[in-house]
Amino acid sequence: MLGKTAGVLLLTAWLYYRSGWPLLVLWPLGIWYYRSLEKECIEKRKGEFLVQFKEAIQSMAASLHTGYSVENAVKEMQKEMLLMYEKDEMICKELSFMVQQVYIRIPAEQIFEDFAKRVRLEDVRNFANVFAAAKRSGGDMIAIIQNTVNQIGAKIEVRREIDTLLAAKRYEFKVMAVIPYAIIAYMILSFPEFMECLYGNMIGTGVMSVCLCAYLGAYAIGVNLVKIEV
């Protein structure tokens, strides 16, 4: 991400000003762009983990329904996830640690509470809270957990469907974000004498600065338009 951010800043300075000095002014833009890339990466990982979590708790609910104890259901959940994902995936690492906690006889509700604290996701925290309440109440824990699994699974699936629907729009937005750079580069390479008046003088610098500000404003609006939180 650092390399991509540096590349965008250098390209911006060259295309809009054909000089390196604007980098002294554009560095806040680099920080903002880097953080947006970092947030996008985190959101992607979060979405992937929630899908894995949904499959894991569905596996656990199925094991409980067939008569497994909670502790054995956790072990079975880990085995199934290892069949579906590589062991270096986050869900597999977390389940491996949870199984270790089972072997040293840590209460199941404490295991899920610690799990929720580590991953810090609302759906995981909700499941841990419901699981702990079901254990303490002594009611029909299997039915309670199954109902919770269905609700959380449905919510995660809705989020996944929205992400799928927005994927094409996000791709279109990324293409549109590149077009202004491509147009300026084309004009510089094809009509250098026409573009020369925009560089090396105050008026040209002002015009390009206005164009850059307009582009950044449109980019910020576009980022918010293709972002939906469920």
Side-chain angles (χ1 to χ4, degrees):
M1 289 188 292
L2 279 173
K4 186 175 182 179
T5 301
V8 168
L9 281 180
L10 290 171
L11 186 61
T12 300
W14 185 79
L15 288 178
Y16 282 87
Y17 302 101
R18 206 180 294 175
S19 174
W21 68 262
L23 292 174
L24 299 175
V25 182
L26 293 175
W27 65 266
L29 172 63
I31 294 175
W32 174 75
Y33 184 68
Y34 178 83
R35 287 179 177 173
S36 67
L37 288 178
E38 189 176 41
K39 187 175 181 180
E40 182 180 341
C41 183
I42 291 172
E43 290 297 322
K44 182 179 178 181
R45 291 177 182 175
K46 184 192 296 185
E48 292 173 350
F49 179 80
L50 285 174
V51 172
Q52 296 169 0
F53 173 69
K54 180 195 73 170
E55 293 167 348
I57 59 177
Q58 286 175 341
S59 170
M60 177 182 174
S63 296
L64 289 172
H65 190 71
T66 55
Y68 281 89
S69 66
V70 172
E71 290 76 13
N72 286 331
V74 172
K75 296 175 185 177
E76 290 299 313
M77 180 168 56
Q78 184 211 20
K79 291 177 182 176
E80 286 202 28
M81 292 303 101
L82 284 173
L83 293 175
M84 298 174 63
Y85 301 103
E86 299 292 333
K87 62 171 140 182
D88 58 347
E89 289 283 349
M90 185 177 176
I91 189 67
C92 294
K93 291 180 179 178
E94 289 292 341
L95 290 177
S96 177
F97 183 69
M98 292 170 69
V99 168
Q100 292 176 20
Q101 290 179 304
V102 168
Y103 280 120
I104 60 177
R105 299 187 181 280
I106 294 178
E109 55 269 31
Q110 183 63 47
I111 291 175
F112 280 99
E113 184 179 341
D114 292 343
F115 173 49
K117 288 179 179 178
R118 288 195 301 273
V119 299
R120 294 183 293 181
L121 292 174
E122 182 184 359
D123 291 325
V124 180
R125 184 171 62 252
N126 290 341
F127 179 79
N129 291 339
V130 171
F131 180 83
K135 285 280 285 184
R136 287 194 298 267
S137 68
D140 190 351
M141 188 179 71
I142 295 177
I144 294 173
I145 291 177
Q146 182 64 62
N147 182 56
T148 305
V149 167
N150 291 339
Q151 291 182 14
I152 292 176
K155 180 181 176 183
I156 293 173
E157 196 59 35
V158 168
R159 184 186 290 112
R160 188 180 183 185
E161 289 176 3
I162 291 174
D163 285 339
T164 301
L165 291 173
L166 286 176
K169 296 300 180 182
R170 291 192 181 109
Y171 178 76
E172 290 174 7
F173 169 68
K174 290 179 179 179
V175 172
M176 293 297 293
V178 172
I179 287 177
Y181 283 76
I183 291 175
I184 295 174
Y186 172 77
M187 293 293 291
I188 290 174
L189 296 174
S190 300
F191 309 99
E193 66 284 350
F194 177 77
M195 297 293 290
E196 195 65 35
C197 62
L198 294 174
Y199 301 104
N201 59 82
M202 292 296 294
I203 296 177
T205 299
V207 170
M208 295 304 283
S209 296
V210 170
C211 292
L212 179 58
C213 289
Y215 169 80
L216 292 176
Y219 184 88
I221 293 172
V223 168
N224 290 324
L225 287 176
V226 297
K227 180 177 65 175
I228 294 180
E229 295 183 2
V230 181

